[in-house]
Amino acid sequence: MVATFFRVASSLLLWLFIQSPSASVNGYIVNDLIDWDSMPEGLFVGPGVGHLQETDFCDVVRQKTELLDALKGRNLSVAIQYGPGFDFFVYNPDAPLSMANPRGMIATMLDELARRGGFFWRDSFVAYDTNTVNVLVGEGAGKWDRMLNWTISNFDLSVDKWILTTERLENETVFLHSWFDAGLILVDQGDQASLNWLGFAAPFDGYVWLSIAGTLFLSAVFAMAIESFEGRRDGRSYAWWLGDHLYFSNLAISQHFVFPSPKTGAGRLFLSSFAFWSMLIGATYTANLASLLVENALASPIDSIESAMENDLRICIHEGSASQTIMESLIPKSRIYDKFVGTLTPEIMYQNLKSGACDILLGTRQEYEIFGSQSKYGCNLVQAGTELHASSASFAIEFDPLNCDSVLAYVLNIHMNSLDVDGNLTKYWNLYLENIQQDTCTTEEDQLMGIRRRRMIETDGKDSIEANVKLPTSSSSSAAPPPSRRNKRRKLISTVSSGDGSPVSGSGNDEALTISGMAGIFGLHAVGSALSVLLAFYSARKKKKKRHKAAVRKSKMLVEDNNSFMESELNVKYLSMKREMTIQMNNMKLDMMAQMDTFFELHRKSLSDSTADLDMEHQHHQQQQQQQRPLAANNSSREANRNNVVGQVSNDTVQLSNVSVDSGDMYDDEFFQQPPANSREVKTGRNVGRVPNNTVQLN
């Protein structure tokens, strides 16, 4: 990418040159150059001491060099703070230069920027400490602003944790991408929690406890309703029934789930939702209670600079820093407050806070992250109140059109932003924090878990312990202070009130989880309960329809069974009658056969008798014929010949050896027919027949 810059008009450049002072001895500057000869020895150290400091970047504009290549091959002059209170840059002037000297987080950042931009800095930097600042620009308020102006006016880059303020921007200072959180906060030593008999209720606020009680009661009622749909009341009274389920619900929140196993989908859904809700409530309560008890939560009654000043507290502050400038701008009356304790470095502020030289301190959030985690400054440090002012800090460059410093600012900003985006800046911070963990407030258990405990409690924002704390006004504390000002301030915590002026309930622990934070847990169970009730109603309606269909089907089956029964009864009766008739017919047949046998027996007997009589009669007749044969030839009524004899007899019965009956009815033993009245019996051997009277043919 090739950047195009507008050339500054020569008349404008000439005007700027005329307006600038031609010579100045203030701060060892002569003709806009550092007078190294007049400067006391040791005021600055480093390889850049005694050399021309500022670099002209206007050749990039004239040659239209690609912007990312604008710094390649250049030695940038860099002014860096070092020494006690600033361990981001560790430098030993008496040791030879190497990659290990200088070292530290800032040295690592500059090395990476130089690698990406193609420039050099290790052979052209100068270093200064806090004593140099006092000698060079004087002490008092605004000294760091003056030091910033001095370094950016005489070097290409001023490397420090320069806090961005409106005044510094108006003074033609360009800030690079932030690497330091400079939000202003109050830091206090938290009080140990006093004896509290209601400490077990601390994890939740009152509204959450009421919601839990209501949920347990409603869950018991819903469980009863679902059991009623399932028909599982088991003869219990409503009071006894409700008591059982309230007991089960209270046990459920302690992870002891003893509800009877449900039989319907609605019951399973409801109890699953209730069990999950109970698990979340129990886990949340346990975690928050452990945090409050194990960490021995600390508290501070201070929430603002005003409350500290109203209670006549000593406030440590980094003297002459941007923190003091911002505070005086935000709170004008702080300019006349005489209890401020100025310190040379931020580290001394934390030392004074632990020793009791001051009651509270005003510093940056990043410093709190660093010093608050080290046990030598106390493991009871807490943030008091909310963040007073949000800001950031970084390296600084002067806006100088004559040297085209905008080129330098643009290129370095690109690379600084890249360090943040690609995670290198975070890696540098983690490495820095690991190097200061030799004496931290982290326990061995935390170290095994990979946790770095910065302090016993962290409070931030409106939900912090101190955010809602209000101290009495100065009029209410105008009485003579007791011997210990700090003890007086600690007693004020008993009068803590909430943001709306009402007393804080319970232990005053605003770290208790609120209903707004736990609404999702209750909402989840409410949805599950509603779905289970709807499912129960649907199941009940479906079961009712099913019962109705079953009743209709059963009614039809009863009708069909009744008809079938009637048909079966008729069939039984029919079969019974048929069987009886068959038996009767068989009996009748047997009777008839018996009668017929008797009849035939009698008939045979009668016939035998008749045959005997006939034989006798026949013999008698033969005897008569033998007696009358001589007279037969003379009988005119018969005709005879030698082959056959035809004769007519009247009212006589004869038995012949060969008889053919030409007319008449035949019968035998198997076929019986009533003989004609006008016939007579004829029995010859096996055949018995009847012939009409008076007609016999003999062969």
Side-chain angles (χ1 to χ4, degrees):
M1 177 184 65
V2 178
T4 303
F5 291 88
F6 294 99
R7 292 180 178 274
V8 181
S10 57
S11 56
L12 176 60
L13 295 178
L14 179 61
W15 180 82
L16 290 173
F17 179 76
I18 294 174
Q19 293 297 321
S20 61
S22 59
S24 173
V25 294
N26 185 18
Y28 305 99
I29 301 297
V30 178
N31 295 325
D32 295 330
L33 297 175
I34 300 176
D35 186 5
W36 295 108
D37 295 333
S38 61
M39 188 176 294
E41 184 178 357
L43 200 60
F44 283 93
V45 294
V49 174
H51 299 286
L52 180 65
Q53 301 304 317
E54 284 195 291
T55 305
D56 186 359
F57 298 97
C58 292
D59 60 315
V60 176
V61 180
R62 291 191 295 267
Q63 299 175 8
K64 298 182 180 181
T65 305
E66 186 174 352
L67 194 58
L68 291 179
D69 296 332
L71 305 183
K72 284 187 176 181
R74 298 178 184 269
N75 281 311
L76 299 185
S77 59
V78 181
I80 310 174
Q81 183 186 177
Y82 84 110
F86 196 83
D87 56 358
F88 298 106
F89 188 81
V90 180
Y91 175 56
N92 183 5
D94 299 327
L97 294 176
S98 66
M99 293 303 296
N101 184 39
R103 57 184 174 84
M105 180 177 175
I106 285 182
T108 304
M109 291 172 59
L110 288 175
D111 285 338
E112 182 62 22
L113 291 175
R115 186 189 68 81
R116 299 187 182 198
F119 62 86
F120 305 97
W121 68 275
R122 284 184 173 270
D123 295 329
S124 55
F125 74 90
V126 296
Y128 61 91
D129 57 14
T130 53
N131 292 325
T132 301
V133 176
N134 293 333
V135 173
L136 194 63
V137 297
E139 300 182 9
K143 70 175 182 179
W144 287 101
D145 290 337
R146 296 191 296 272
M147 187 63 188
L148 172 62
N149 293 334
W150 195 93
T151 53
I152 63 174
S153 298
N154 295 282
F155 298 90
D156 295 330
L157 179 65
S158 179
V159 175
D160 204 330
K161 47 185 178 59
W162 298 114
I163 299 177
L164 188 152
T165 64
T166 303
E167 293 78 4
R168 291 175 175 179
L169 290 174
E170 292 175 349
N171 200 31
E172 300 180 349
T173 304
V174 178
F175 292 88
L176 301 185
H177 185 81
S178 173
W179 68 276
F180 191 92
D181 186 357
L184 292 183
I185 60 172
L186 291 171
V187 179
D188 192 8
Q189 295 187 77
D191 286 325
Q192 298 290 334
S194 60
L195 183 63
N196 182 12
W197 295 107
L198 296 178
F200 66 89
F204 300 144
D205 67 0
Y207 293 107
V208 174
W209 283 116
L210 290 176
S211 300
I212 291 174
T215 301
L216 293 176
F217 178 79
L218 292 178
S219 297
V221 174
F222 285 167
M224 289 177 58
I226 291 174
E227 279 195 0
S228 67
F229 289 133
E230 297 177 352
R232 299 171 62 186
R233 182 178 173 183
D234 300 333
R236 292 172 290 181
S237 65
Y238 282 106
W240 189 271
W241 197 12
L242 178 60
D244 286 346
H245 283 84
L246 287 176
Y247 173 69
F248 295 157
S249 298
N250 289 328
L251 288 181
I253 201 171
S254 65
Q255 309 301 305
H256 190 59
F257 211 75
V258 294
F259 277 94
S261 180
K263 297 181 179 180
T264 62
R268 294 187 182 96
L269 176 61
F270 172 75
L271 291 183
S272 297
S273 173
F274 186 44
F276 187 65
W277 174 84
S278 300
M279 183 270 292
L280 292 178
I281 292 295
T284 305
Y285 176 83
T286 303
N288 208 27
L289 182 64
S291 175
L292 294 174
L293 296 181
V294 174
E295 292 188 355
N296 192 18
L298 308 173
S300 171
I302 309 302
D303 71 333
S304 65
I305 291 291
E306 292 92 334
S307 63
M309 292 190 297
E310 288 171 355
N311 287 275
D312 200 27
L313 301 182
R314 295 166 299 176
I315 305 173
C316 280
I317 192 169
H318 188 192
E319 184 182 11
S321 66
S323 300
Q324 183 177 6
T325 303
I326 293 172
M327 179 194 63
E328 292 177 352
S329 176
L330 294 175
I331 307 170
K333 66 179 182 180
S334 64
R335 299 172 182 173
I336 59 174
Y337 186 67
D338 59 354
K339 298 295 183 181
F340 281 107
V341 179
T343 63
L344 193 61
T345 65
E347 183 179 9
I348 299 176
M349 288 195 305
Y350 284 86
Q351 293 173 352
N352 290 345
L353 180 62
K354 183 180 181 181
S355 65
C358 57
D359 301 313
I360 200 168
L361 68 82
L362 176 67
T364 65
R365 181 178 297 278
Q366 198 74 60
E367 293 165 350
Y368 177 45
E369 297 288 329
I370 297 170
F371 299 113
S373 65
Q374 301 181 49
S375 59
K376 63 181 180 180
Y377 304 111
C379 292
N380 61 338
L381 300 181
V382 296
Q383 176 183 330
T386 60
E387 188 176 70
L388 304 179
H389 177 75
S391 187
S392 61
S394 186
F395 307 156
I397 299 173
E398 182 185 24
F399 179 72
D400 185 2
L402 294 176
N403 291 326
C404 302
D405 285 343
S406 57
V407 174
L408 175 63
Y410 194 90
V411 175
L412 290 181
N413 252 329
I414 292 175
H415 297 310
M416 282 290 291
N417 185 72
S418 299
L419 284 178
D420 193 3
V421 171
D422 59 21
N424 277 294
L425 192 57
T426 302
K427 182 176 68 175
Y428 300 153
W429 267 115
N430 292 336
L431 182 62
Y432 169 79
L433 294 175
E434 289 176 2
N435 290 333
I436 63 172
Q437 283 189 1
Q438 291 83 5
D439 187 18
T440 66
C441 298
T442 306
T443 64
E444 294 182 0
E445 181 181 358
D446 293 332
Q447 291 176 355
L448 292 175
M449 297 177 62
I451 301 173
R452 180 179 180 274
R453 191 183 306 278
R454 293 173 296 184
R455 53 197 162 276
M456 295 300 294
I457 183 173
E458 179 179 353
T459 57
D460 183 17
K462 63 181 180 180
D463 292 331
S464 65
I465 294 177
E466 301 82 4
N468 297 321
V469 174
K470 298 295 180 184
L471 290 174
T473 60
S474 58
S475 60
S476 63
S477 59
S478 57
S484 174
R485 183 185 295 106
R486 188 168 186 81
N487 291 337
K488 168 195 171 182
R489 180 170 63 86
R490 294 308 171 198
K491 293 179 182 179
L492 296 178
I493 196 168
S494 62
T495 62
V496 169
S497 61
S498 62
D500 57 0
S502 60
V504 176
S505 61
S507 63
N509 179 21
D510 289 343
E511 283 202 339
L513 296 177
T514 62
I515 190 63
S516 59
M518 301 186 64
I521 298 177
F522 290 95
L524 181 64
H525 182 44
V527 171
S529 301
L531 290 177
S532 62
V533 171
L534 292 176
L535 182 58
F537 278 114
Y538 173 76
S539 300
R541 184 177 179 84
K542 187 176 180 180
K543 187 180 296 184
K544 183 177 180 181
K545 290 183 179 180
K546 189 175 181 180
R547 286 198 301 265
H548 177 70
K549 290 181 180 179
V552 172
R553 185 167 58 254
K554 186 176 181 181
S555 177
K556 291 181 179 180
M557 291 177 63
L558 288 175
V559 173
E560 293 176 357
D561 292 344
N562 189 26
N563 294 335
S564 177
F565 177 76
M566 293 177 64
E567 291 179 0
S568 62
E569 285 290 322
L570 291 175
N571 290 333
V572 170
K573 290 182 179 180
Y574 168 75
L575 294 174
S576 177
M577 292 176 64
K578 182 177 180 180
R579 185 166 54 252
E580 291 178 358
M581 291 178 64
T582 302
I583 294 172
Q584 291 177 3
M585 290 179 67
N586 291 334
N587 292 336
M588 289 176 64
K589 184 176 180 181
L590 293 175
D591 291 341
M592 290 179 65
M593 294 295 293
Q595 292 177 6
M596 289 177 66
D597 291 341
T598 303
F599 175 76
F600 283 120
E601 185 66 29
L602 293 174
H603 182 67
R604 288 189 188 95
K605 184 176 182 182
S606 176
L607 186 59
S608 177
D609 293 340
S610 298
T611 303
D613 292 341
L614 185 60
D615 289 341
M616 292 178 64
E617 187 176 353
H618 178 62
Q619 291 176 2
H620 178 71
H621 182 68
Q622 284 181 348
Q623 290 176 1
Q624 285 181 355
Q625 280 183 348
Q626 290 175 359
Q627 291 175 4
Q628 294 177 3
R629 184 170 297 175
L631 296 179
N634 299 323
N635 193 352
S636 59
S637 60
R638 292 189 179 92
E639 296 180 1
N641 53 34
R642 188 166 53 97
N643 297 322
N644 55 41
V645 178
V646 177
Q648 295 183 349
V649 293
S650 61
N651 299 325
D652 291 327
T653 303
V654 294
Q655 181 175 1
L656 303 177
S657 59
N658 292 318
V659 179
S660 63
V661 181
D662 296 330
S663 63
D665 296 325
M666 300 295 294
Y667 67 91
D668 55 17
D669 294 340
E670 297 178 359
F671 300 94
F672 176 79
Q673 181 176 1
Q674 188 68 26
N678 57 353
S679 65
R680 300 180 67 179
E681 293 183 359
V682 179
K683 182 176 181 182
T684 59
R686 293 176 59 188
N687 296 324
V688 179
R690 282 186 179 273
V691 298
N693 294 332
N694 304 323
T695 303
V696 178
Q697 183 176 355
L698 304 174
N699 294 326

